[in-house]
Amino acid sequence: MSLKNLPNENNIYETERLIIQPMSVDDGEFIFELYNRPKFIKYIGDRQIKTVLDAENYIRNRFLPQFDKLGFGNYLVVTKDTGEKIGGVGIFEREGLEIVDIGFSLLEEFEGKGYAYEAAEKVKSIGMDEFGLKKISAITSKDNFSSQKLIEKLGLEFKNYVTLPNEDEELMYYETKQ
């Protein structure tokens, strides 16, 4: 299924404080830093990105194909005022989930300022309003209380526990309300 009839041809979106744009290979250094932060590894997982080249290949092999296939994927979150790269937010096709899921991660120094909600709310609306998604899901670990709170603030409700293929951890599974 391809949903690539994009109203926003360059895929760059804005909120009050943020610019949200597709990840590119040029974001390798940032992804290397973000994905190796202790909180990212604890709550999202170790993606085995040991070098900037690994990060560039991860973007090339994981992020870009989904944009090509579906028109949406993982976006870089940049502050408007300083131009700093602060995180990632996206809607992902994930093995083991029937409904695409929304995910987000920020550098710790930008947490608690409402950026994750602002970015995730925008990406959720892009998925539903521009791409016609009927439902969006979200998954998070049982001890990631800030993500649980944000997911619920986005209007998703807890449904059950899931374990993704080739994973051991049981995760909390949410969906948009019907």
Side-chain angles (χ1 to χ4, degrees):
M1 139 173 107
S2 178
L3 302 170
K4 288 194 337 181
N5 34 348
L6 299 177
N8 183 342
E9 287 184 23
N10 62 9
N11 281 350
I12 297 174
Y13 302 92
E14 291 188 32
T15 66
E16 182 182 336
R17 302 179 295 163
L18 303 170
I19 297 168
I20 299 168
Q21 63 195 35
M23 285 282 179
S24 78
V25 175
D26 295 340
D27 299 315
E29 281 186 40
F30 176 75
I31 289 298
F32 172 74
E33 179 184 355
L34 178 64
Y35 281 31
N36 282 293
R37 291 281 180 109
K39 276 181 89 170
F40 186 96
I41 292 169
K42 176 180 179 180
Y43 290 124
I44 299 175
D46 187 348
R47 300 296 188 245
Q48 298 299 311
I49 294 175
K50 304 301 180 199
T51 65
V52 172
L53 182 60
D54 288 346
E56 291 169 352
N57 286 328
Y58 193 86
I59 294 166
R60 196 175 285 114
N61 298 323
R62 300 286 298 266
F63 298 162
L64 300 184
Q66 185 179 309
F67 271 109
D68 289 341
K69 179 181 175 188
L70 300 177
F72 56 83
N74 198 10
Y75 296 88
L76 179 69
V77 180
V78 180
T79 59
K80 279 184 178 178
D81 59 350
T82 63
E84 288 179 272
K85 297 177 180 183
I86 66 168
V89 62
I91 299 175
F92 307 95
E93 272 192 328
R94 202 176 300 278
E95 187 181 356
L97 297 181
E98 291 181 24
I99 299 170
V100 291
D101 90 293
I102 192 165
F104 42 84
S105 57
L106 292 183
L107 297 172
E108 290 96 338
E109 53 268 36
F110 295 98
E111 291 178 355
K113 297 173 173 30
Y115 290 131
Y117 175 75
E118 188 174 327
E121 180 66 26
K122 181 64 175 180
V123 169
K124 178 186 169 208
S125 74
I126 292 164
M128 298 190 98
D129 300 339
E130 296 189 22
F131 290 96
L133 298 174
K134 301 292 182 226
K135 282 186 168 190
I136 292 177
S137 70
I139 52 175
T140 189
S141 59
K142 294 175 186 175
D143 61 346
N144 192 345
F145 302 112
S146 60
S147 283
Q148 293 166 27
K149 186 175 166 186
L150 194 154
I151 289 166
E152 290 169 2
K153 187 175 179 182
L154 288 170
L156 283 75
E157 61 186 2
F158 175 75
K159 293 289 186 185
N160 58 346
Y161 294 100
V162 298
T163 303
L164 298 179
N166 305 311
E167 299 288 335
D168 297 326
E169 184 182 7
E170 189 176 61
L171 300 170
M172 297 177 75
Y173 176 81
Y174 295 77
E175 279 183 12
T176 45
K177 298 172 185 171
Q178 293 180 323

